Amino acid sequence: ELPDLPNILYIHSHDTGRWVRPYGYSVRTPNIQRLAEEGVLFREAFCAAPTCSGSRACLLTGQYAHSNGMVGLAHRGFSLKDYRQHIVHTLRDLGYWSALIGEQHISKKPDIIGYDEVVKISTSHTDDVVPVTLDLLERTSDRPFFLSVGFFETHREWFRPSSPKKANYVIPPPNLPDAPETRLDMAAFQESARSLDRGIGAVLDALDAEGLAEDTLVICTTDHGLAFPGAKATLYDRGLGVMLILRGPGGFTGGKASDALVSHIDLFPTVCDLASVERPEWLQGESLLPLANGEADEVRDAIFAEKTYHVAYEPERCVRTHRWKYIRRFGERTKPVLPNTDDGPSKELLLSYGWGEREIPPEQLYDLVLDPNEAHNLAGSPAHEVTLEELRGRLKAWMVETKDPLLDGDVPAPEGAELNDPDGLSPNDPTIVM
């Protein structure tokens, strides 16, 4: 007789950051808001790698990208070192049935990941993802399930705003100027977010209709920050910060908000604790259960994150505490790697003002209390030498402990990987095959 194991619904989007209603943004996402009011909202949640494949790989293996191997993009030739470290294998041993619907981004061929069922659909847009998800929920059996439901929304191939007037009434992210181009960009993002919200709402309604809501842990998150300049594929908070709402058994109820530092790598250990199963030895995160049931206010005092490749090579590592962020860039390059920023009106605007020529220092230190936008680098300030030294030491210790290959110099791409030239302009430029 299996113990009562909770169902797990991992529902995730692309490039949303925290730009949804429950984080206070004026984006119309009533279903995500409702989920937050019924569950626990993590206000200080971060991905471990701000790229599409890296972030999901970290969440699903419970380890950092350089440990699980996903230091680049799966559709461009990077992969996990060992797909058996994916959470579905640990859950299968407990009797779980698993299915993958829509976006997954951690393997060119989804069949090798290990899901019991991979649902084939033509796109990962909500209109295609929702109907098959509802079908699956209708025929769930007596076995507990792990469902990965991935939406393409709010990835940058978004639609124009339905009316150009909408762009008059939005504000762009705080690191960008308020201009017609950035507002148009944000209005289009908001339209995509509304579509995402409708999809999430439909799936949550189906859980209710099938009587599954009470026994299901919903993990609602995104891969990383907005696909705007200075966010996605950067180690600033606007690149690493993610929405994260958990609702379900284990104390994840009641519309609570937690200000604890939380990383995507903490979700796998949380699921293990919830299912009362021993954690696999490769996990590098902390369980969030003590935060949900009130036993602790914090489970960690820092988060670490990394980028090695996005579409082009740009190795960086960071450590973040509640107060401080330290970012270290590796290699000789001091100019932005422009292909790593998705194309769009905001990028074009910044480039027209010379953004592509700006120097990026090898070390950055930010006081997140007095400078939440991470605009004023304190790495060269004598007054902050002690803090810099301490965080430099913490980052190094983490890299040593997790056997980060970057310690030994440049990290080569696997054979056959498709990369952009760091001196290029766009991710859509012709690629180089390694």
Side-chain angles (χ1 to χ4, degrees):
E1 182 61 28
L2 279 171
D4 289 338
L5 296 167
N7 301 311
I8 296 156
L9 170 67
Y10 162 50
I11 192 163
H12 48 102
S13 67
H14 248 313
D15 303 1
T16 311
R18 297 185 184 140
W19 283 74
V20 290
R21 183 71 200 91
Y23 288 89
Y25 294 103
S26 58
V27 183
R28 284 159 87 179
T29 55
N31 295 298
I32 300 173
Q33 176 68 23
R34 186 191 98 199
L35 185 67
E37 288 174 11
E38 294 168 353
V40 178
L41 178 75
F42 291 92
R43 306 254 344 167
E44 297 282 328
F46 299 90
C47 65
T51 66
C52 305
S53 303
S55 116
R56 295 160 202 266
C58 295
L59 187 156
L60 292 162
T61 64
Q63 50 187 333
Y64 294 109
H66 63 262
S67 300
N68 65 42
M70 190 65 76
V71 295
L73 295 172
H75 61 286
R76 283 166 167 252
F78 291 80
S79 61
L80 291 179
K81 286 177 187 164
D82 184 352
Y83 279 88
R84 286 168 308 189
Q85 293 181 336
H86 191 292
I87 192 167
V88 290
H89 297 279
T90 297
L91 293 174
R92 174 175 298 116
D93 294 344
L94 298 175
Y96 276 80
W97 177 83
S98 62
L100 171 69
I101 305 157
E103 205 60 64
Q104 54 88 11
H105 241 311
I106 65 163
S107 166
K108 255 188 179 165
K109 299 190 187 76
D111 300 331
I112 72 166
I113 299 169
Y115 285 92
D116 293 315
E117 187 167 329
V118 174
V119 180
K120 300 276 195 268
I121 42 179
S122 51
T123 81
S124 299
H125 289 280
T126 44
D127 298 349
D128 291 320
V129 171
V130 168
V132 292
T133 307
L134 304 192
D135 288 347
L136 267 188
L137 287 172
E138 270 170 27
R139 61 180 174 85
T140 51
S141 64
D142 46 359
R143 290 171 68 188
F145 62 75
F146 175 87
L147 283 193
S148 172
V149 178
F151 292 115
F152 182 78
E153 282 84 358
T154 50
H155 197 280
R156 207 174 233 291
E157 279 83 76
W158 46 52
F159 355 94
R160 309 289 290 177
S162 52
S163 149
K165 277 223 164 125
K166 288 193 170 160
N168 296 342
Y169 311 115
V170 295
I171 186 128
N175 65 308
L176 297 175
D178 185 354
E181 296 88 342
T182 56
R183 292 197 299 268
L184 188 72
D185 230 359
M186 187 35 94
F189 166 83
Q190 294 203 3
E191 203 98 339
S192 188
R194 290 180 67 178
S195 169
L196 168 69
D197 186 73
R198 283 194 295 274
I200 289 177
V203 174
L204 295 176
D205 288 348
L207 275 186
D208 289 341
E210 301 298 328
L212 295 164
E214 204 149 295
D215 301 323
T216 301
L217 177 70
V218 177
I219 299 171
C220 177
T221 190
T222 187
D223 47 7
H224 45 62
L226 299 177
F228 279 76
K232 173 181 175 175
T234 76
L235 300 183
Y236 301 116
D237 275 9
R238 47 187 182 262
L240 299 176
V242 289
M243 65 167 175
L244 178 63
I245 302 163
L246 270 61
R247 185 193 79 181
F252 294 104
T253 52
K256 301 189 283 270
S258 169
D259 286 284
L261 286 174
V262 169
S263 168
H264 267 166
I265 64 165
D266 299 334
L267 291 166
F268 195 149
T270 304
V271 168
C272 289
D273 280 13
L274 206 52
S276 314
V277 58
E278 209 174 309
R279 298 180 199 175
E281 80 284 341
W282 65 79
L283 296 191
Q284 294 170 324
E286 308 292 335
S287 169
L288 304 181
L289 277 191
L291 299 174
N293 58 31
E295 282 172 27
D297 293 332
E298 296 283 350
V299 294
R300 47 168 65 247
D301 63 351
I303 62 115
F304 296 90
E306 65 187 286
K307 175 179 63 179
T308 307
Y309 291 87
H310 185 229
V311 301
Y313 186 57
E314 190 181 9
E316 306 184 284
R317 303 288 185 261
C318 79
V319 53
R320 186 205 196 277
T321 64
H322 276 293
R323 174 96 196 243
W324 302 102
K325 164 82 65 66
Y326 169 69
I327 303 174
R328 163 90 198 272
R329 286 173 72 87
F330 292 79
E332 303 296 297
R333 192 181 175 88
T334 58
K335 291 279 193 317
V337 178
L338 297 173
N340 284 341
T341 299
D342 291 351
D343 295 340
S346 300
K347 178 179 177 178
E348 281 168 38
L349 177 72
L350 295 194
L351 287 174
S352 72
Y353 283 94
W355 174 59
E357 295 307 308
R358 295 192 75 175
E359 294 274 316
I360 306 174
E363 290 188 300
Q364 297 169 66
L365 175 69
Y366 298 107
D367 180 337
L368 300 169
V369 174
L370 300 180
D371 176 26
N373 264 333
E374 296 165 279
H376 184 51
N377 182 14
L378 301 170
S381 145
H384 296 91
E385 249 168 50
V386 175
T387 306
L388 180 66
E389 200 57 45
E390 184 202 334
L391 292 174
R392 203 185 265 151
R394 281 200 79 164
L395 188 69
K396 177 91 188 273
W398 169 73
M399 290 175 73
V400 169
E401 187 192 337
T402 56
K403 301 186 175 62
D404 191 334
L406 199 51
L407 288 168
D408 302 324
D410 281 334
V411 177
E415 203 180 329
E418 289 173 57
L419 298 176
N420 283 76
D421 180 348
D423 288 323
L425 200 58
S426 160
N428 301 318
D429 289 342
T431 53
I432 307 151
V433 178
M434 298 313 286

